[in-house]
Amino acid sequence: MRNRAEVWLLLWLLPLLVRIPAAEGQIPGCESSPMQRKTLQNETALCNDRTRAIYYLGSATSSRWMIFLEGGGVCPTLAQCKCRYVQERYQMSSNSSAYGETLCGTDVFDVSDVDNPFREFRHVMLPYCTQDLYIGGNAGEAAGSFDQRTAQECTGPTGPGGEDPGFVYAGSHVFTSMIMELKAVGLSAASEIILAGTSAGALGAMNHARWMQEQFPAATVRLLIDSGWIIDYKTIATRTLFTPYVQRNGQFQRRPACQEIYDGLPCCMSAVCMMERGDIGVPANMSVLIVTSSYDLFMLQLAIQESPGLSRGGFSNMLADYGGAINQTLNAVRSRTASASLIQTRCAQHTYLVSTTLWRSAQLRPAARR
């Protein structure tokens, strides 16, 4: 039985998920309290191109915090990483005009929405610039070099990778460094912390949930997971995303959850496993709200790419098959996790919650959101 606060949260989120977005270029003002850009002090908390990672901090004074991890996929091969660096550099670097000195909060960070249950929380947004689901283990490599010329040798996502320009994958280090710095500005006295994430950020949040609970034993730590329910449908996720990435980045194996294999995927990359394995994943006593679609657009795009010449009938069968596979995994979690709540839509969509105005421009929005 859910308490009144949880029911209120669910009712507030439902219309938010189907809200019509503002027209391109229409970025609302946030005169009341913009979020301020901060550069991490730790010199080894690095983006892929070895620029220092950043985060945005709201100005509210509160013992309740919401920390939001942005998403943006993953580049499993060196060739794909080089092309992403050329085409979407803000996903791999803090040295981008996309990251201004201030950002406006939207949706869960909207301080002007009187019905927003998170309105008076202290807001933190961590841009995604590490392409590693926030679990990459590289650290202490700030002294290494990065070759801009080599990084921009994009020959196509299936082309030869060539020479590595010096990419680093330090997402876990970036996250933990940010949390340690936030402790000095009030997080250490938090009474409630909501760790939220979308897409890749959702998997990152799940992987850091246990550590957060250990770091803040006096606080209530909760999870808000948006579109991180990635399943290995027809082994597509394993073959096209995670296996090549793990092979290229052995530091993943340092994490206990990455050493366990679940349905073909490392547990740390499977939301189902992270929910079911409370010993290495999300603690069983932690409240979790999962927002997902029966027809996740990101996974459907991968499935279509793997099925050239797919007929209309074949596509309909794929939709039904994928939706059934999603429902099976969600039913398994419902039966095992009494602390989990679920909002499941039937939209062909990937990601619902947008924390700031960063993605209101069509030029900056990740492909899955276009």
Side-chain angles (χ1 to χ4, degrees), residues 1-11 222-223 275 284-290 330 333-343:
M1 185 70 179
R2 302 293 170 197
N3 62 39
R4 294 179 63 183
E6 289 177 304
V7 172
W8 179 39
L9 171 58
L10 289 169
L11 292 176
R222 310 178 195 273
L223 278 181
M275 287 294 293
N285 64 345
M286 183 176 289
S287 294
V288 183
L289 174 58
I290 300 164
L330 290 169
V333 170
R334 286 191 193 99
S335 65
R336 289 176 170 83
T337 313
S339 59
S341 299
L342 171 68
I343 296 177

Side-chain angles (χ1 to χ4, degrees), residues 100-337:
E101 289 303 311
T102 63
L103 284 178
C104 301
T106 61
D107 292 357
V108 290
F109 283 177
D110 189 350
V111 296
S112 65
D113 183 355
V114 295
D115 294 322
N116 179 5
F118 310 117
R119 179 189 182 195
E120 296 181 353
F121 280 55
R122 189 84 186 267
H123 300 150
V124 182
M125 191 275 279
L126 179 60
Y128 185 44
C129 70
T130 56
Q131 292 296 302
D132 59 1
L133 309 177
Y134 295 95
I135 57 178
N138 288 148
E141 299 186 7
S145 61
F146 183 76
D147 187 341
Q148 285 278 356
R149 181 189 59 79
T150 303
Q152 298 183 65
E153 294 174 346
C154 172
T155 58
T158 60
E163 183 181 352
D164 191 330
F167 289 130
V168 295
Y169 305 90
S172 179
H173 194 52
V174 167
F175 174 80
T176 55
S177 295
M178 180 187 71
I179 295 300
M180 291 305 178
E181 291 187 17
L182 289 172
K183 284 185 175 183
V185 295
L187 186 60
S188 59
S191 61
E192 179 180 359
I193 301 172
I194 297 178
L195 182 59
T198 183
S199 189
L203 284 171
M206 298 180 87
N207 272 276
H208 291 289
R210 175 174 297 280
W211 182 82
M212 287 291 288
Q213 196 175 67
E214 293 169 351
Q215 288 292 311
F216 303 95
T220 299
V221 180
R222 310 178 195 273
L223 278 181
L224 174 53
I225 302 303
D226 171 23
S227 302
W229 205 261
I230 305 299
I231 64 172
D232 196 25
Y233 176 67
K234 295 186 180 299
T235 72
I236 292 174
T238 296
R239 289 184 288 107
T240 64
L241 294 177
F242 299 130
T243 295
Y245 200 75
V246 170
Q247 289 174 344
R248 190 164 59 87
N249 297 280
Q251 79 273 6
F252 281 110
Q253 301 307 320
R254 302 171 190 170
R255 303 183 68 88
C258 291
Q259 296 174 12
E260 300 282 339
I261 301 299
Y262 179 94
D263 195 24
L265 290 175
C267 185
C268 60
M269 299 180 179
S270 166
V272 185
C273 184
M274 292 298 289
M275 287 294 293
E276 290 190 347
R277 290 291 305 273
D279 56 329
I280 58 175
V282 178
N285 64 345
M286 183 176 289
S287 294
V288 183
L289 174 58
I290 300 164
V291 181
T292 192
S293 171
S294 297
Y295 309 107
D296 187 280
L297 186 58
F298 174 69
M299 285 302 302
L300 288 178
Q301 286 174 335
L302 289 179
I304 291 170
Q305 291 170 8
E306 290 281 299
S307 306
L310 188 67
S311 67
R312 180 177 298 181
F315 180 68
S316 297
N317 290 335
M318 176 189 291
L319 283 179
D321 191 34
Y322 179 79
I326 281 285
N327 285 333
Q328 285 185 351
T329 61
L330 290 169
N331 285 335
V333 170
R334 286 191 193 99
S335 65
R336 289 176 170 83
T337 313

Side-chain angles (χ1 to χ4, degrees), residues 8-56:
W8 179 39
L9 171 58
L10 289 169
L11 292 176
W12 177 81
L13 278 172
L14 284 172
L16 177 69
L17 301 183
V18 295
R19 179 182 298 169
I20 299 174
E24 301 298 353
Q26 291 183 355
I27 299 179
C30 56
E31 295 81 4
S32 55
S33 57
M35 300 179 70
Q36 301 291 329
R37 171 175 167 157
K38 307 288 183 181
T39 299
L40 285 171
Q41 298 172 18
N42 191 328
E43 294 182 355
T44 61
L46 304 173
C47 298
N48 293 128
D49 67 347
R50 299 177 188 265
T51 54
R52 196 91 59 84
I54 62 172
Y55 65 97
Y56 286 86

